[in-house]
PDB file of all heavy atoms in Angstrom:
ATOM      1  N   LYS A   7      25.794  -3.297 127.631  1.00  0.00           N
ATOM      2  CA  LYS A   7      25.154  -4.007 126.519  1.00  0.00           C
ATOM      3  C   LYS A   7      24.232  -3.079 125.731  1.00  0.00           C
ATOM      4  O   LYS A   7      24.153  -3.117 124.510  1.00  0.00           O
ATOM      5  CB  LYS A   7      24.340  -5.174 127.068  1.00  0.00           C
ATOM      6  CG  LYS A   7      24.875  -6.517 126.582  1.00  0.00           C
ATOM      7  CD  LYS A   7      23.996  -7.628 127.098  1.00  0.00           C
ATOM      8  CE  LYS A   7      24.653  -8.981 126.879  1.00  0.00           C
ATOM      9  NZ  LYS A   7      23.913 -10.041 127.572  1.00  0.00           N
ATOM     10  N   LYS A   8      23.564  -2.228 126.456  1.00  0.00           N
ATOM     11  CA  LYS A   8      22.575  -1.369 125.828  1.00  0.00           C
ATOM     12  C   LYS A   8      23.214  -0.327 124.894  1.00  0.00           C
ATOM     13  O   LYS A   8      22.684  -0.018 123.822  1.00  0.00           O
ATOM     14  CB  LYS A   8      21.760  -0.657 126.906  1.00  0.00           C
ATOM     15  CG  LYS A   8      20.372  -0.239 126.404  1.00  0.00           C
ATOM     16  CD  LYS A   8      19.598   0.453 127.470  1.00  0.00           C
ATOM     17  CE  LYS A   8      18.217   0.833 126.939  1.00  0.00           C
ATOM     18  NZ  LYS A   8      17.468   1.605 127.912  1.00  0.00           N
ATOM     19  N   THR A   9      24.350   0.218 125.290  1.00  0.00           N
ATOM     20  CA  THR A   9      25.000   1.244 124.470  1.00  0.00           C
ATOM     21  C   THR A   9      25.687   0.662 123.249  1.00  0.00           C
ATOM     22  O   THR A   9      26.183   1.404 122.400  1.00  0.00           O
ATOM     23  CB  THR A   9      26.039   2.029 125.300  1.00  0.00           C
ATOM     24  OG1 THR A   9      26.875   1.073 125.953  1.00  0.00           O
ATOM     25  CG2 THR A   9      25.381   2.912 126.314  1.00  0.00           C
ATOM     26  N   LYS A  10      25.724  -0.617 123.144  1.00  0.00           N
ATOM     27  CA  LYS A  10      26.498  -1.256 122.078  1.00  0.00           C
ATOM     28  C   LYS A  10      25.756  -1.327 120.724  1.00  0.00           C
ATOM     29  O   LYS A  10      26.165  -2.093 119.865  1.00  0.00           O
ATOM     30  CB  LYS A  10      26.888  -2.670 122.506  1.00  0.00           C
ATOM     31  CG  LYS A  10      28.358  -2.992 122.259  1.00  0.00           C
ATOM     32  CD  LYS A  10      28.623  -4.438 122.599  1.00  0.00           C
ATOM     33  CE  LYS A  10      30.090  -4.749 122.513  1.00  0.00           C
ATOM     34  NZ  LYS A  10      30.305  -6.159 122.960  1.00  0.00           N
ATOM     35  N   GLY A  11      24.705  -0.554 120.499  1.00  0.00           N
ATOM     36  CA  GLY A  11      23.916  -0.634 119.260  1.00  0.00           C
ATOM     37  C   GLY A  11      24.782  -0.518 118.022  1.00  0.00           C
ATOM     38  O   GLY A  11      25.948  -0.111 118.094  1.00  0.00           O
ATOM     39  N   SER A  12      24.204  -0.825 116.833  1.00  0.00           N
ATOM     40  CA  SER A  12      25.020  -0.819 115.622  1.00  0.00           C
ATOM     41  C   SER A  12      25.532   0.607 115.377  1.00  0.00           C
ATOM     42  O   SER A  12      24.793   1.567 115.535  1.00  0.00           O
ATOM     43  CB  SER A  12      24.184  -1.294 114.441  1.00  0.00           C
ATOM     44  OG  SER A  12      23.026  -0.492 114.314  1.00  0.00           O
ATOM     45  N   PRO A  13      26.796   0.748 114.942  1.00  0.00           N
ATOM     46  CA  PRO A  13      27.350   2.087 114.746  1.00  0.00           C
ATOM     47  C   PRO A  13      26.690   2.781 113.562  1.00  0.00           C
ATOM     48  O   PRO A  13      26.258   2.129 112.616  1.00  0.00           O
ATOM     49  CB  PRO A  13      28.838   1.804 114.481  1.00  0.00           C
ATOM     50  CG  PRO A  13      28.854   0.431 113.947  1.00  0.00           C
ATOM     51  CD  PRO A  13      27.742  -0.309 114.634  1.00  0.00           C
ATOM     52  N   ALA A  14      26.640   4.110 113.589  1.00  0.00           N
ATOM     53  CA  ALA A  14      26.028   4.862 112.501  1.00  0.00           C
ATOM     54  C   ALA A  14      26.825   4.653 111.227  1.00  0.00           C
ATOM     55  O   ALA A  14      28.061   4.603 111.258  1.00  0.00           O
ATOM     56  CB  ALA A  14      25.980   6.343 112.852  1.00  0.00           C
ATOM     57  N   ILE A  15      26.153   4.551 110.113  1.00  0.00           N
ATOM     58  CA  ILE A  15      26.859   4.359 108.829  1.00  0.00           C
ATOM     59  C   ILE A  15      27.566   5.665 108.476  1.00  0.00           C
ATOM     60  O   ILE A  15      26.990   6.745 108.591  1.00  0.00           O
ATOM     61  CB  ILE A  15      25.878   3.952 107.727  1.00  0.00           C
ATOM     62  CG1 ILE A  15      25.185   2.645 108.107  1.00  0.00           C
ATOM     63  CG2 ILE A  15      26.566   3.814 106.398  1.00  0.00           C
ATOM     64  CD1 ILE A  15      23.980   2.324 107.280  1.00  0.00           C
ATOM     65  N   ASN A  16      28.763   5.545 108.019  1.00  0.00           N
ATOM     66  CA  ASN A  16      29.538   6.722 107.648  1.00  0.00           C
ATOM     67  C   ASN A  16      29.035   7.249 106.299  1.00  0.00           C
ATOM     68  O   ASN A  16      29.126   6.587 105.280  1.00  0.00           O
ATOM     69  CB  ASN A  16      31.012   6.310 107.554  1.00  0.00           C
ATOM     70  CG  ASN A  16      31.878   7.494 107.268  1.00  0.00           C
ATOM     71  OD1 ASN A  16      31.409   8.626 107.271  1.00  0.00           O
ATOM     72  ND2 ASN A  16      33.143   7.231 107.026  1.00  0.00           N
ATOM     73  N   THR A  17      28.465   8.432 106.355  1.00  0.00           N
ATOM     74  CA  THR A  17      27.892   8.980 105.111  1.00  0.00           C
ATOM     75  C   THR A  17      28.788  10.059 104.501  1.00  0.00           C
ATOM     76  O   THR A  17      28.338  10.779 103.628  1.00  0.00           O
ATOM     77  CB  THR A  17      26.510   9.587 105.384  1.00  0.00           C
ATOM     78  OG1 THR A  17      26.656  10.553 106.430  1.00  0.00           O
ATOM     79  CG2 THR A  17      25.506   8.544 105.768  1.00  0.00           C
ATOM     80  N   SER A  18      30.030  10.130 104.946  1.00  0.00           N
ATOM     81  CA  SER A  18      30.864  11.222 104.430  1.00  0.00           C
ATOM     82  C   SER A  18      31.174  11.052 102.953  1.00  0.00           C
ATOM     83  O   SER A  18      31.485  12.029 102.278  1.00  0.00           O
ATOM     84  CB  SER A  18      32.162  11.287 105.227  1.00  0.00           C
ATOM     85  OG  SER A  18      32.845  10.071 105.083  1.00  0.00           O
ATOM     86  N   SER A  19      31.052   9.843 102.396  1.00  0.00           N
ATOM     87  CA  SER A  19      31.332   9.674 100.963  1.00  0.00           C
ATOM     88  C   SER A  19      30.074   9.799 100.112  1.00  0.00           C
ATOM     89  O   SER A  19      30.122   9.716  98.886  1.00  0.00           O
ATOM     90  CB  SER A  19      31.976   8.323 100.717  1.00  0.00           C
ATOM     91  OG  SER A  19      31.135   7.312 101.174  1.00  0.00           O
ATOM     92  N   LEU A  20      28.956  10.037 100.771  1.00  0.00           N
ATOM     93  CA  LEU A  20      27.698  10.193 100.022  1.00  0.00           C
ATOM     94  C   LEU A  20      27.756  11.332  99.006  1.00  0.00           C
ATOM     95  O   LEU A  20      27.410  11.146  97.845  1.00  0.00           O
ATOM     96  CB  LEU A  20      26.536  10.386 101.002  1.00  0.00           C
ATOM     97  CG  LEU A  20      25.152  10.339 100.379  1.00  0.00           C
ATOM     98  CD1 LEU A  20      24.815   8.954  99.896  1.00  0.00           C
ATOM     99  CD2 LEU A  20      24.105  10.783 101.402  1.00  0.00           C
ATOM    100  N   PRO A  21      28.240  12.531  99.419  1.00  0.00           N
ATOM    101  CA  PRO A  21      28.334  13.614  98.428  1.00  0.00           C
ATOM    102  C   PRO A  21      29.157  13.228  97.223  1.00  0.00           C
ATOM    103  O   PRO A  21      28.817  13.583  96.084  1.00  0.00           O
ATOM    104  CB  PRO A  21      29.016  14.739  99.211  1.00  0.00           C
ATOM    105  CG  PRO A  21      28.735  14.458 100.605  1.00  0.00           C
ATOM    106  CD  PRO A  21      28.641  12.982 100.749  1.00  0.00           C
ATOM    107  N   ASP A  22      30.228  12.469  97.439  1.00  0.00           N
ATOM    108  CA  ASP A  22      31.079  12.067  96.308  1.00  0.00           C
ATOM    109  C   ASP A  22      30.290  11.223  95.319  1.00  0.00           C
ATOM    110  O   ASP A  22      30.393  11.397  94.097  1.00  0.00           O
ATOM    111  CB  ASP A  22      32.289  11.273  96.814  1.00  0.00           C
ATOM    112  CG  ASP A  22      33.119  12.115  97.763  1.00  0.00           C
ATOM    113  OD1 ASP A  22      32.924  13.356  97.755  1.00  0.00           O
ATOM    114  OD2 ASP A  22      33.917  11.534  98.509  1.00  0.00           O
ATOM    115  N   ILE A  23      29.518  10.289  95.872  1.00  0.00           N
ATOM    116  CA  ILE A  23      28.728   9.418  94.988  1.00  0.00           C
ATOM    117  C   ILE A  23      27.710  10.245  94.209  1.00  0.00           C
ATOM    118  O   ILE A  23      27.559  10.105  92.981  1.00  0.00           O
ATOM    119  CB  ILE A  23      28.020   8.328  95.822  1.00  0.00           C
ATOM    120  CG1 ILE A  23      29.063   7.442  96.517  1.00  0.00           C
ATOM    121  CG2 ILE A  23      27.127   7.494  94.942  1.00  0.00           C
ATOM    122  CD1 ILE A  23      28.503   6.631  97.639  1.00  0.00           C
ATOM    123  N   ILE A  24      27.050  11.137  94.929  1.00  0.00           N
ATOM    124  CA  ILE A  24      26.040  11.966  94.271  1.00  0.00           C
ATOM    125  C   ILE A  24      26.682  12.852  93.218  1.00  0.00           C
ATOM    126  O   ILE A  24      26.154  13.009  92.110  1.00  0.00           O
ATOM    127  CB  ILE A  24      25.322  12.832  95.315  1.00  0.00           C
ATOM    128  CG1 ILE A  24      24.664  11.959  96.390  1.00  0.00           C
ATOM    129  CG2 ILE A  24      24.263  13.698  94.671  1.00  0.00           C
ATOM    130  CD1 ILE A  24      23.667  10.969  95.867  1.00  0.00           C
ATOM    131  N   PHE A  25      27.851  13.396  93.539  1.00  0.00           N
ATOM    132  CA  PHE A  25      28.547  14.233  92.554  1.00  0.00           C
ATOM    133  C   PHE A  25      28.890  13.446  91.296  1.00  0.00           C
ATOM    134  O   PHE A  25      28.795  13.954  90.187  1.00  0.00           O
ATOM    135  CB  PHE A  25      29.816  14.839  93.156  1.00  0.00           C
ATOM    136  CG  PHE A  25      29.586  16.187  93.736  1.00  0.00           C
ATOM    137  CD1 PHE A  25      29.791  16.450  95.079  1.00  0.00           C
ATOM    138  CD2 PHE A  25      29.159  17.249  92.927  1.00  0.00           C
ATOM    139  CE1 PHE A  25      29.566  17.698  95.610  1.00  0.00           C
ATOM    140  CE2 PHE A  25      28.928  18.503  93.449  1.00  0.00           C
ATOM    141  CZ  PHE A  25      29.131  18.735  94.793  1.00  0.00           C
ATOM    142  N   MET A  26      29.279  12.202  91.515  1.00  0.00           N
ATOM    143  CA  MET A  26      29.617  11.369  90.376  1.00  0.00           C
ATOM    144  C   MET A  26      28.407  11.220  89.457  1.00  0.00           C
ATOM    145  O   MET A  26      28.504  11.405  88.226  1.00  0.00           O
ATOM    146  CB  MET A  26      30.056  10.001  90.863  1.00  0.00           C
ATOM    147  CG  MET A  26      31.102   9.354  90.021  1.00  0.00           C
ATOM    148  SD  MET A  26      31.925   8.074  90.951  1.00  0.00           S
ATOM    149  CE  MET A  26      30.648   6.846  91.018  1.00  0.00           C
ATOM    150  N   LEU A  27      27.263  10.888  90.046  1.00  0.00           N
ATOM    151  CA  LEU A  27      26.037  10.786  89.275  1.00  0.00           C
ATOM    152  C   LEU A  27      25.706  12.110  88.593  1.00  0.00           C
ATOM    153  O   LEU A  27      25.345  12.164  87.424  1.00  0.00           O
ATOM    154  CB  LEU A  27      24.873  10.403  90.194  1.00  0.00           C
ATOM    155  CG  LEU A  27      24.712   8.929  90.514  1.00  0.00           C
ATOM    156  CD1 LEU A  27      23.700   8.751  91.623  1.00  0.00           C
ATOM    157  CD2 LEU A  27      24.250   8.179  89.270  1.00  0.00           C
TER     158      LEU A  27
END
Side-chain angles (χ1 to χ4, degrees):
Chain A
K7 244 183 192 170
K8 204 180 181 185
T9 50
K10 227 185 186 176
S12 56
I15 300 166
N16 184 7
T17 56
S18 61
S19 58
L20 189 68
D22 300 343
I23 297 163
I24 302 302
F25 266 119
M26 213 161 72
L27 277 169

